[in-house]
């Protein structure tokens, strides 16, 4: 039997819950007894807390991160056939909603060291039909958003930040000030899926904007296109964060900075232990963003990756491949992808990335055990 010290999980939701159990249990029971299950005061309160945390004008909570992206795009009034630039190396949701809305996903390559979309890749992909860019702050650090937003504004393009993996990160502006991730694009979207950096105990999401008019439109779309009860001025959707999840998230938001710091501490441990190993590459940081490590992702030689994963599993160490297949090779996108379409960096990353366990409850003992076995694999 494995000892508790080496019972390692990719994401340890249970231990984190136990550390705040009393507060959570009380908030959940109170919300249930209040019977204000939908759009209750808990949701308003959490919305205001997100406004304050991000220092942004409008936050619209919704049912999940995918809905957040869909609603944000719906608010822009794009026409079928308009092109939307997205990275090819991301979670499917980012591009899926583009196709769903009759728009054309134009996939571009990413930086080989930070895995993030770059301004130069975007510039090369722009055509007269381009209307929107959806950069993804992947794995916990921001894209070069200030440059991308400047370029977008000069070319009449919208920017929707997919911030599902990087809530809590800081973006350092060229004037020396810093702002929160998710406040730089025209709109930004996040997810409260349980394993995200700010996760609830079910599904949840939110949409952020500084533009009050856009914010009002987004709020309407998320609520059946309704301006006033039973008056519907446009086609919308039904996408709500429920009160129980909001109550949980209020407690977890108070801990978000601490959670980010714990992830950074775990990442620093890995990097210190692994950086000298020549066979692998530890995560690289952007100069314009800190890293909140939604994932701690190594690059290893493609030929070794499978064996490394098997070896780690034998030692009781889980690992994950984010992401194994470029979006343009997924059947879902075939109607938008020409034969032989190929992005070299995305292609290479899908073969060589491997993410190690990353969460707020990793002990030094566990980190030492994981690092030791990664090194041992490459010494063989
Ligand atoms: C998780 C995630 C989403 C979708 O969020 P859900 O709440 O699962 O719908 C979108 N984009 C990225 C990059 C994500 O990681």
């Amino acid at each position: 039997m494995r000892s508790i010290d080496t019972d390692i999980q990719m994401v340890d939701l249970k231990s984190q819950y136990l550390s705040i159990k009393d507060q959570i249990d009380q908030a959940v029971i109170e919300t249930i007894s209040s019977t204000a299950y939908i759009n209750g005061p808990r949701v308003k309160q959490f919305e205001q807390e997100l406004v304050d945390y991000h220092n942004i004008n409008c936050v619209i909570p919704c049912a999940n991160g995918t809905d957040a992206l869909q609603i944000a795009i719906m608010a822009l009034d794009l026409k079928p056939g308009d092109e939307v630039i997205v990275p090819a190396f991301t979670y499917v949701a980012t591009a899926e909603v583009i196709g769903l809305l009759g728009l054309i996903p134009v996939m571009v390559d990413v930086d080989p060291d930070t895995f993030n979309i770059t301004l130069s890749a975007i510039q090369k992909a722009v055509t007269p039909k381009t209307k929107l860019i959806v950069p993804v702050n992947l794995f916990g650090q921001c894209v070069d958003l200030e440059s991308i937003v400047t370029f977008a504004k000069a070319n009449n393009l919208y920017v929707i930040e997919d911030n599902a993996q990087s809530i809590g990160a800081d973006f350092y502006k060229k004037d020396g000030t810093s702002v929160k991730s998710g406040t730089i694009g025209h709109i930004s979207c996040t997810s409260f899926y349980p394993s995200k950096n700010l996760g609830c105990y079910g599904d949840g999401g939110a949409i952020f904007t500084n533009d009050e008019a856009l914010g009002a439109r987004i709020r309407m779309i998320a609520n059946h296109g309704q301006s006033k009860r039973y008056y519907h001025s446009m086609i919308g959707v039904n996408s709500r964060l429920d009160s129980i999840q909001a109550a949980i998230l209020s407690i977890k938001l108070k801990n978000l900075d601490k959670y980010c710091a714990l992830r950074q501490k775990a990442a620093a441990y890995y990097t210190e232990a692994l950086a000298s190993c020549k066979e692998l590459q530890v995560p690289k940081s952007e100069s314009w963003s800190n890293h909140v490590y939604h994932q701690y992702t190594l690059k290893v030689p493609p030929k070794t990756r499978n064996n490394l994963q098997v070896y780690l599993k034998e030692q009781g160490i889980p690992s994950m491949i984010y992401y194994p297949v470029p979006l343009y090779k997924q059947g879902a996108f075939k109607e938008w992808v020409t034969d032989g379409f190929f992005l070299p960096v995305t292609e290479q990353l899908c073969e060589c990335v491997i993410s190690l366990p990353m969460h707020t409850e990793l002990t030094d003992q566990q980190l030492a055990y994981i690092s030791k076995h990664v090194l041992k694999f490459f010494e063989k």
Side-chain angles (χ1 to χ4, degrees):
M1 232 175 65
R2 215 169 276 147
S3 85
I4 187 80
D5 294 333
T6 55
D7 185 9
I8 299 168
Q9 293 172 53
M10 202 59 204
V11 181
D12 186 349
L13 297 175
K14 185 70 182 276
S15 306
Q16 196 196 55
Y17 162 63
L18 291 176
S19 74
I20 48 177
K21 183 178 184 306
D22 291 349
Q23 285 169 278
I24 295 275
D25 292 1
Q26 192 190 343
V28 168
I29 288 166
E30 268 174 29
T31 310
I32 293 171
S33 339
S34 79
T35 71
Y37 305 133
I38 301 289
N39 288 335
R42 293 286 194 168
V43 179
K44 276 279 150 224
Q45 183 194 325
F46 176 57
E47 182 183 313
Q48 187 56 47
E49 288 161 357
L50 281 176
V51 164
D52 296 341
Y53 181 85
H54 288 86
N55 191 21
I56 195 164
N57 287 333
C58 312
V59 174
I60 300 95
C62 65
N64 56 68
T66 310
D67 273 12
L69 287 161
Q70 182 186 328
I71 295 163
I73 298 175
M74 285 170 78
L76 298 178
D77 241 345
L78 305 183
K79 308 274 173 300
D82 285 347
E83 293 178 0
V84 182
I85 296 175
V86 281
F89 188 68
T90 178
Y91 182 57
V92 66
T94 321
E96 186 178 31
V97 294
I98 296 166
L100 182 71
L101 294 172
L103 306 165
I104 298 178
V106 175
M107 296 167 192
V108 304
D109 221 349
V110 295
D111 182 271
D113 295 320
T114 62
F115 319 128
N116 269 337
I117 196 170
T118 61
L119 176 61
S120 64
I122 291 168
Q123 285 169 323
K124 279 185 229 143
V126 169
T127 76
K129 284 178 153 181
T130 308
K131 293 286 147 50
L132 167 65
I133 306 162
V134 187
V136 180
N137 298 323
L138 201 73
F139 296 160
Q141 68 180 334
C142 296
V143 165
D144 183 7
L145 287 160
E146 202 175 12
S147 308
I148 291 171
V149 168
T150 304
F151 169 79
K153 287 187 174 158
N155 291 278
N156 263 318
L157 306 172
Y158 286 109
V159 175
I160 297 178
E161 260 176 84
D162 182 342
N163 198 36
Q165 300 188 359
S166 300
I167 191 166
D170 292 316
F171 184 88
Y172 310 123
K173 294 174 78 163
K174 288 171 186 140
D175 67 7
T177 60
S178 99
V179 294
K180 280 290 164 195
S181 66
T183 63
I184 304 132
H186 294 94
I187 308 177
S188 92
C189 298
T190 202
S191 163
F192 305 124
Y193 184 80
S195 63
K196 297 288 157 84
N197 288 26
L198 178 61
C200 59
Y201 298 163
D203 272 310
I207 308 160
F208 302 71
T209 183
N210 267 314
D211 181 328
E212 310 255 354
L214 214 42
R217 236 180 113 71
I218 289 166
R219 203 175 287 283
M220 251 163 78
I221 293 169
N223 185 25
H224 297 293
Q226 177 171 277
S227 45
K228 168 167 121 183
R229 202 156 203 196
Y230 304 124
Y231 290 79
H232 305 268
S233 51
M234 62 174 104
I235 294 291
V237 297
N238 172 20
S239 186
R240 299 183 282 238
L241 181 71
D242 71 68
S243 301
I244 293 175
Q245 299 307 335
I248 291 163
L249 284 163
S250 280
I251 294 162
K252 293 192 68 176
L253 178 60
K254 287 189 189 73
N255 291 300
L256 179 59
D257 289 343
K258 186 179 92 190
Y259 292 157
C260 290
L262 287 166
R263 286 172 178 274
Q264 286 163 342
K265 191 165 162 250
Y269 192 110
Y270 280 140
T271 296
E272 162 95 31
L274 302 177
S276 61
C277 176
K278 284 196 266 314
E279 269 89 1
L280 58 80
Q281 184 178 313
V282 297
K284 291 256 168 83
S285 295
E286 306 277 23
S287 58
W288 50 75
S289 173
N290 69 348
H291 203 318
V292 295
Y293 295 98
H294 175 59
Q295 299 298 340
Y296 186 90
T297 302
L298 298 173
K299 279 166 65 173
V300 300
K303 280 197 205 78
T304 64
R305 186 177 68 178
N306 258 356
N307 291 342
L308 172 61
Q309 198 167 26
V310 169
Y311 173 77
L312 292 176
K313 192 167 177 225
E314 284 164 4
Q315 315 309 316
I317 302 168
S319 62
M320 293 290 283
I321 309 301
Y322 301 117
Y323 297 93
V325 183
L327 285 189
Y328 52 84
K329 285 190 168 166
Q330 304 276 4
F333 298 104
K334 60 175 182 286
E335 71 176 277
W336 298 286
V337 177
T338 51
D339 278 349
F341 184 82
F342 178 88
L343 297 171
V345 177
T346 296
E347 208 78 21
Q348 181 217 350
L349 291 179
C350 289
E351 305 263 294
C352 74
V353 290
I354 180 166
S355 299
L356 298 181
M358 174 50 72
H359 54 80
T360 56
E361 316 300 313
L362 283 164
T363 63
D364 280 0
Q365 221 171 351
Q366 290 175 327
L367 290 160
Y369 179 82
I370 298 164
S371 306
K372 178 185 83 184
H373 280 294
V374 172
L375 292 173
K376 206 163 156 190
F377 172 80
F378 285 109
E379 277 162 16
K380 283 197 293 189

